[in-house]
Amino acid sequence: MRRQNDAPYRRQAARPGSPVRGWARSLDAVWWHSGTRSVRAALAGTAALLLPVDCVCCGRPDAVLCPQCARKMRTSCLHPHRVEDRAESLPLNTVGLPLPVICAGSYDHELAAVVLAFKNHQMPSLAGILAPSLARAVLAALASLVDPGRPVVLVPMPTRLRAKAKRGYFPVGLLLARLRRSGVLPQGVEMAQLLRYRMGNQLVSAQKGKGRRERSSTRQSMKVSNTPVLQQFRLCGAQVILVDDVLTTGATLAEAHRALGGTGLLVCGAVVVAATPAPSEKHAVR
Ligand SMILES: [Zn+2]
């Protein structure tokens, strides 16, 4: 059980003659009494036993992500970079270049552990830790991939019903909602869930663990909802930046690009939280 140094939070003792109200002085006396402090410490210890949390990276107790691992994760995401050369299934433009993709960091070490826990281990509280890294990547994409004179819409990759039912939340949507609330995005940048999976594909599991042939089932699996919001974006010539959590082969982004192709919106690129290393770098992953 840890003893916390709570002296800075204590109310200073009233000087003689000071007009401190009697009930406040009594409450302070009870709160800081040695017996009360022992009871509080015991309750805190019981709570830690009933709802124990360990760092998702190193296993240290008492925090979902310990300060050391949080610092390493933030450091690994300081420099968002282009990763389209790692993914063989990304759509190509008219001159054969793949869709530009910017990642916050590589999918290894602390970042991989945090993303995995956020997506698959029901830890939505990690959104607050990942959101600043995603924000840095989104700002890099806005600075380099779009025409600054036209509006931009961030479009998250949809989630399947099975995955959403299992998790109870939509990871990419949660991250984008945090970005919107933080006010970090410039004027003229909107967010909209324009894509969804077709009904027949709603129960298909995600890409993880699938081979190249099975991943091709992603084709024709998404559709665009023809809503007034879409019409509005089309009329103002909005540019689209796709947003996803992890880039592997790029098949999901390619399918989103295909689905948006018929809407008249221009897909300028994509942003991901993490990109799996290229095959030549995979020996470095732990
Ligand atoms: Zn740790």
Side-chain angles (χ1 to χ4, degrees):
M1 196 178 299
R2 289 189 311 182
R3 284 180 66 84
Q4 293 182 347
N5 180 14
D6 45 21
Y9 305 105
R10 288 198 205 189
R11 190 180 303 198
Q12 296 296 311
R15 288 192 298 271
S18 170
V20 177
R21 295 174 66 177
W23 62 266
R25 202 161 40 211
S26 304
L27 271 181
D28 268 7
V30 171
W31 185 254
W32 296 113
H33 188 272
S34 59
T36 317
R37 294 185 68 186
S38 300
V39 171
R40 281 163 42 206
L43 287 174
T46 308
L49 282 174
L50 291 175
L51 298 168
V53 286
D54 297 331
C55 173
V56 296
C57 299
C58 68
R60 284 193 187 99
D62 296 342
V64 176
L65 187 66
C66 73
Q68 290 90 334
C69 292
R71 189 171 60 246
K72 286 180 190 168
M73 196 215 83
R74 283 196 299 271
T75 305
S76 73
C77 296
L78 284 179
H79 305 289
H81 51 281
R82 299 275 288 264
V83 283
E84 60 266 25
D85 53 344
R86 298 181 184 182
E88 72 266 28
S89 301
L90 287 171
L92 304 178
N93 66 10
T94 50
V95 291
L97 293 174
L99 182 77
V101 182
I102 292 181
C103 80
S106 290
Y107 188 75
D108 53 19
H109 306 298
E110 286 77 17
L111 182 59
V114 173
V115 169
L116 192 68
F118 177 55
K119 281 183 67 180
N120 296 348
H121 298 162
Q122 280 74 44
M123 291 188 174
S125 62
L126 290 171
I129 291 163
L130 289 170
S133 301
L134 178 65
R136 196 172 281 117
V138 168
L139 293 176
L142 294 174
S144 61
L145 301 182
V146 301
D147 175 358
R150 289 165 56 192
V152 177
V153 56
L154 303 176
V155 177
M157 292 299 94
T159 191
R160 297 176 195 269
L161 283 180
R162 175 181 288 179
K164 192 168 183 180
K166 192 175 168 188
R167 295 187 186 111
Y169 58 96
F170 173 26
V172 183
L174 213 57
L175 290 174
L176 285 181
R178 278 195 171 258
L179 260 60
R180 191 204 304 256
R181 284 202 304 271
S182 69
V184 72
L185 298 172
Q187 287 254 326
V189 178
E190 302 285 336
M191 296 175 196
Q193 178 67 66
L194 299 178
L195 294 161
R196 62 187 173 89
Y197 281 105
R198 292 180 192 278
M199 281 311 290
N201 286 279
Q202 288 282 15
L203 297 178
V204 178
S205 61
Q207 301 278 329
K208 188 182 171 190
K210 287 185 177 178
R212 183 190 291 260
R213 183 175 296 176
E214 289 166 302
R215 282 170 192 262
S216 68
S217 65
T218 307
R219 289 177 200 149
Q220 307 286 326
S221 61
M222 286 185 205
K223 63 184 284 190
V224 178
S225 309
N226 195 12
T227 58
V229 176
L230 177 68
Q231 303 292 344
Q232 195 182 334
F233 286 133
R234 185 185 294 154
L235 285 173
C236 66
Q239 309 163 94
V240 170
I241 296 282
L242 304 171
V243 184
D244 205 358
D245 42 26
V246 179
L247 175 74
T248 47
T249 65
T252 308
L253 292 175
E255 171 56 13
H257 185 271
R258 182 207 61 78
L260 286 162
T263 62
L265 298 176
L266 176 65
V267 181
C268 296
V271 170
V272 296
V273 177
T276 51
S280 59
E281 303 168 24
K282 280 190 177 168
H283 65 277
V285 179
R286 81 182 173 197

